[in-house]
Amino acid sequence: AHTGNETYAKVIEKIDASHNVLIALSGDPSVDELCAAIGLSLFLDKLGKRATAIYSGTTPNALEFLKPEDTFEPSADVLQDFVIALSKEKADHLRYKLDGDYVKVYITPFHSKISQEDLDFSYGDYNVDLVIALNVANGIDLDSALREHGRIMHDAVIINITTGNPGKFGEIEWSEKKSSSVSEMIARFLYSVKTDVQLGKEDATAFLTGIPFDAAYSTSMLFTPVAAMQISFRFGAESISSLFTRTLLIMSTSISLTLSFASSGVEVG
């Protein structure tokens, strides 16, 4: 397993080099893993990546506000090429054109007339450059929609992010036993990435939801930034995105916050 800055550097390198990213979950993901998948998918989309999160199960009703149906695909079919085959002896050249909501493919025939009977339709390879798995111990634990994972992932780089023991199938096994959740790990990582794209309200909210509320504070009322972020979120002290950004900045320098309750809510100082 890789650790520390070496991990961040390797993950950044793999994301930069990829276009089609598959976010893979286990067959029984936790709320943390579902939230992390939603937040990561939203952020990668903003980076110009084609991110696809696969989950064939049912998401908890409590996560409806995150609109999981807009993120999760129940089948890996969406990753597969659709192939149209035609005898090369009948085709001179082809082109395509966007026409409203449609993509039209134009085939110029070569000394022949082309009809529907000349076309053969099939499915090709899976378009996956990079797989980011969330808390998956090994390949057999993947969601059932990825049961053909060998075929889907055979040419892809796999990054496996775990909070327990490192998994056994990723090229990069990124594990942090002291982190409360994969949502926390990914959010801290994304904040550290130097890019014009920043965490926004939607992706920050997803990560925030995935971090356990009671994971990071002590009875002495000296709270870590994660706890401060969650408490302030619940009391509405600051907007989600600005609070999250501010909190992660402090997390990156390992500074603790002391919270004081005021009549108007929670003050972070």
Side-chain angles (χ1 to χ4, degrees):
H2 302 284
T3 58
N5 293 334
E6 179 188 0
T7 299
Y8 280 17
K10 288 181 177 292
V11 172
I12 291 171
E13 176 187 352
K14 300 304 181 183
I15 292 177
D16 281 343
S18 67
H19 178 66
N20 299 307
V21 182
L22 166 62
I23 300 173
L25 295 167
S26 68
D28 185 25
S30 65
V31 168
D32 163 38
E33 291 148 21
L34 291 168
C35 292
I38 293 172
L40 180 58
S41 179
L42 292 171
F43 189 86
L44 290 175
D45 284 342
K46 291 191 294 186
L47 282 179
K49 308 298 180 181
R50 183 175 176 268
T52 303
I54 302 292
Y55 177 53
S56 61
T58 302
T59 56
N61 293 333
L63 298 184
E64 286 183 357
F65 70 100
L66 294 178
K67 300 180 180 179
E69 68 279 1
D70 292 343
T71 297
F72 292 117
E73 296 287 348
S75 168
D77 293 345
V78 296
L79 302 171
Q80 205 168 8
D81 285 334
F82 180 68
V83 181
I84 304 173
L86 173 67
S87 171
K88 63 181 181 180
E89 295 180 356
K90 290 192 173 185
D92 185 14
H93 62 271
L94 61 83
R95 61 188 175 88
Y96 72 90
K97 179 182 179 181
L98 296 178
D99 186 2
D101 293 333
Y102 294 89
V103 178
K104 292 186 175 181
V105 179
Y106 296 85
I107 304 174
T108 302
F110 182 73
H111 299 304
S112 62
K113 182 179 180 179
I114 299 174
S115 66
Q116 186 173 346
E117 287 71 27
D118 295 311
L119 303 177
D120 181 50
F121 304 99
S122 62
Y123 291 97
D125 292 334
Y126 290 90
N127 274 308
V128 179
D129 308 318
L130 174 65
V131 177
I132 300 178
L134 306 181
N135 261 344
V136 179
N138 52 64
I140 63 174
D141 294 328
L142 287 165
D143 186 281
S144 60
L146 296 171
R147 60 183 176 273
E148 295 185 48
H149 61 86
R151 184 182 172 194
I152 295 171
M153 304 179 187
H154 72 287
D155 288 329
V157 173
I158 300 176
I159 299 171
N160 191 24
I161 304 174
T162 60
T163 53
N165 293 323
K168 299 179 180 179
F169 75 110
E171 177 180 325
I172 299 175
E173 290 289 348
W174 171 14
S175 178
E176 293 183 10
K177 292 184 178 181
K178 293 184 179 180
S179 291
S180 68
S181 55
V182 290
S183 292
E184 178 187 339
M185 290 172 64
I186 296 171
R188 188 189 298 115
F189 163 72
L190 293 180
Y191 185 83
S192 72
V193 176
K194 295 182 179 179
T195 174
D196 292 336
V197 177
Q198 298 180 346
L199 285 168
K201 181 177 181 180
E202 290 77 15
D203 40 11
T205 301
F207 292 126
L208 180 64
T209 306
I211 299 174
F213 179 70
D214 59 350
Y217 63 86
S218 67
T219 55
S220 66
M221 294 301 288
L222 185 64
F223 290 74
T224 67
V226 172
M229 173 177 61
Q230 292 173 323
I231 292 172
S232 296
F233 166 65
R234 295 193 178 194
F235 282 84
E238 299 182 34
S239 70
I240 296 172
S241 57
S242 63
L243 174 63
F244 200 85
T245 299
R246 179 180 171 189
T247 303
L248 287 175
L249 175 61
I250 298 172
M251 286 175 67
S252 67
T253 56
S254 301
I255 300 176
S256 296
L257 295 178
T258 302
L259 303 183
S260 61
F261 291 80
S263 59
S264 60
V266 177
E267 295 180 355
V268 182

